[in-house]
Amino acid sequence: MYPLKFKPILKERLWGGTKLNEVFGKPCTSEITGESWELSTVKGDVSVIANGYLADTTLQELIEKFPNEILGKSVVQRFGTEFPILIKFIDAKQDLSIQLHPNDQLAKERHDSFGKTEMWYIMDADPGAELIVGFNRDVSRVEYEESLKNDSLLELLNYEKVVEGDTFFINTGKIHAIGAGVLLAEIQQTSDVTYRVFDFNRRDKDGNLRELHTDLALDAIDYERKNDFKVDYSKESNSVNTMVECPYFKTNYLNLTESMVQDTLNRDSFTIFMCVDGEAAIENEFGKVNLRRGETTLVPGITEKITINTNGAKLLEVTI
């Protein structure tokens, strides 16, 4: 039950680039690698353990065998043996499509899936890089449909310039897109359900337009302008700084200049660490792993104490 590392699941994307390899050292073989799935139990894309005696076992196999020990009893009570979190690093060389995600109810009815609430932590951004998050004013459904017909949707959207450290919470229904030149860490519910509504009329390598989900999106969109997406959080050194706390995950920011010990006896949840800068060694009573920028570990829920040894690291800590 030592801290687990996993083989990255690399995804070619029309909008992807080369930073996942150049910056993080991911074993990419394509010049359009857009995503590295670090922790996943999405069907067809289940993470495989890379370290220790459990190497080559899948995360799902381990959870099925040791649910309480890996997830924590309270997590099992809520989700059974389904791992509720999907962890990614994303490199957007080009703009992503304009999209949104359905809530739990719609996702369950239509796709037998969780909804997709997510958050982004900006790890790097080219000068002037932007995100699209929400509308720039309240919009009616009729107005939105008209904008699709006359190709003016972009005029209704809210643009946010970003720099390293900026953090955004994207609740279900919020229209959004990652802009060109952004490298980020993404934490989300376990779901691969996306409604794409506009893709800049781009064509794939075979000359085809990508599928849009216009009709599915109509009753999933939140048409109100809401200023609820930019996360204001403390960056105090050597403290646990809460970033996001929602029903699906809790994320803390650890800006460490020295080692830290955490008592996790009563946490009753697995703990994920994403290293977004520097290096650290993550240790529990069963073993340890070394993390550098762009790497992730899962510490099993049975852990009673976590020691983070570092001279300098910025970590995102995710629990349920």
Side-chain angles (χ1 to χ4, degrees), residues 237-238 253-259 274-282 291-293 308-316:
S237 297
N238 306 313
Y253 178 74
L254 308 182
N255 179 18
L256 302 180
T257 60
E258 59 188 36
S259 297
M274 303 181 78
C275 185
V276 295
D277 199 22
E279 296 182 351
I282 311 295
L291 286 189
R292 55 185 172 82
R293 191 179 187 213
I308 306 169
N309 291 303
T310 185
N311 293 318
K314 296 175 181 176
L315 303 171
L316 305 184

Side-chain angles (χ1 to χ4, degrees), residues 59-103:
L59 175 56
Q60 192 61 56
E61 287 171 341
L62 195 61
I63 291 171
E64 297 284 351
K65 194 169 183 179
F66 304 107
N68 292 328
E69 291 85 351
I70 296 297
L71 299 179
K73 290 180 181 178
S74 66
V75 179
V76 173
Q77 287 169 4
R78 284 185 62 192
F79 299 102
T81 56
E82 292 189 72
F83 192 68
I85 299 293
L86 175 57
I87 298 290
K88 303 176 183 177
F89 293 111
I90 295 177
D91 170 27
K93 185 175 181 180
Q94 299 180 34
D95 296 328
L96 272 68
S97 62
I98 313 299
Q99 58 188 245
L100 60 128
H101 309 295
N103 61 27

Side-chain angles (χ1 to χ4, degrees), residues 29-314:
T29 57
S30 166
E31 303 221 330
I32 54 167
T33 304
E35 301 183 4
S36 175
W37 290 22
E38 298 288 296
L39 264 177
S40 168
T41 55
V42 172
K43 189 174 181 180
D45 287 302
V46 178
S47 293
V48 175
I49 296 168
N51 66 318
Y53 78 94
L54 293 168
D56 298 323
T57 305
T58 71
L59 175 56
Q60 192 61 56
E61 287 171 341
L62 195 61
I63 291 171
E64 297 284 351
K65 194 169 183 179
F66 304 107
N68 292 328
E69 291 85 351
I70 296 297
L71 299 179
K73 290 180 181 178
S74 66
V75 179
V76 173
Q77 287 169 4
R78 284 185 62 192
F79 299 102
T81 56
E82 292 189 72
F83 192 68
I85 299 293
L86 175 57
I87 298 290
K88 303 176 183 177
F89 293 111
I90 295 177
D91 170 27
K93 185 175 181 180
Q94 299 180 34
D95 296 328
L96 272 68
S97 62
I98 313 299
Q99 58 188 245
L100 60 128
H101 309 295
N103 61 27
D104 285 343
Q105 182 180 344
L106 276 178
K108 182 66 177 175
E109 290 172 0
R110 294 174 174 176
H111 314 285
D112 193 27
S113 169
F114 292 125
K116 190 174 175 183
T117 298
E118 62 190 2
M119 67 167 282
W120 299 329
Y121 174 88
I122 308 301
M123 295 181 66
D124 191 37
D126 293 347
E130 297 179 315
L131 305 176
I132 290 172
V133 191
F135 293 105
N136 55 32
R137 57 179 173 81
D138 289 351
V139 174
S140 71
R141 176 168 167 164
V142 171
E143 190 176 11
Y144 166 77
E145 290 185 88
E146 283 297 318
S147 78
L148 295 181
K149 291 175 184 174
N150 60 31
D151 210 20
S152 62
L153 174 63
L154 298 180
E155 297 171 17
L156 300 178
L157 301 178
N158 174 59
Y159 293 81
E160 296 279 332
K161 291 196 181 303
V162 294
V163 296
E164 180 184 349
D166 285 348
T167 299
F168 294 82
F169 181 70
I170 311 296
N171 42 31
T172 55
K174 190 178 296 297
I175 200 163
H176 63 272
I178 301 169
V182 175
L183 181 68
L184 60 75
E186 180 174 275
I187 297 154
Q188 60 160 93
Q189 290 176 268
T190 291
S191 170
D192 200 28
V193 179
T194 294
Y195 294 162
R196 187 184 301 125
V197 298
F198 182 66
D199 196 31
F200 305 97
N201 303 312
R202 288 182 293 200
R203 297 182 181 272
D204 64 20
K205 61 185 177 183
D206 299 317
N208 300 314
L209 294 169
R210 291 201 294 172
E211 181 184 5
L212 299 180
H213 310 98
T214 307
D215 292 338
L216 284 172
L218 287 174
D219 57 356
I221 295 177
D222 184 349
Y223 295 99
E224 285 186 55
R225 158 67 178 171
K226 293 177 180 172
N227 191 23
D228 60 354
F229 46 81
K230 186 79 178 283
V231 177
D232 183 23
Y233 65 100
S234 169
K235 298 179 181 179
E236 183 179 347
S237 297
N238 306 313
S239 294
V240 177
N241 303 291
T242 299
M243 304 173 88
V244 168
E245 190 164 6
C246 71
Y248 308 107
F249 52 82
K250 178 179 180 179
T251 303
N252 298 318
Y253 178 74
L254 308 182
N255 179 18
L256 302 180
T257 60
E258 59 188 36
S259 297
M260 172 183 281
V261 178
Q262 296 184 339
D263 179 357
T264 56
L265 180 62
N266 297 315
R267 180 167 287 180
D268 200 19
S269 165
F270 60 84
T271 305
I272 298 166
F273 290 102
M274 303 181 78
C275 185
V276 295
D277 199 22
E279 296 182 351
I282 311 295
E283 184 174 358
N284 70 357
E285 50 268 45
F286 307 103
K288 72 175 182 178
V289 294
N290 295 316
L291 286 189
R292 55 185 172 82
R293 191 179 187 213
E295 292 188 329
T296 304
T297 187
L298 172 69
V299 182
I302 196 173
T303 299
E304 296 183 1
K305 183 176 76 171
I306 297 173
T307 302
I308 306 169
N309 291 303
T310 185
N311 293 318
K314 296 175 181 176

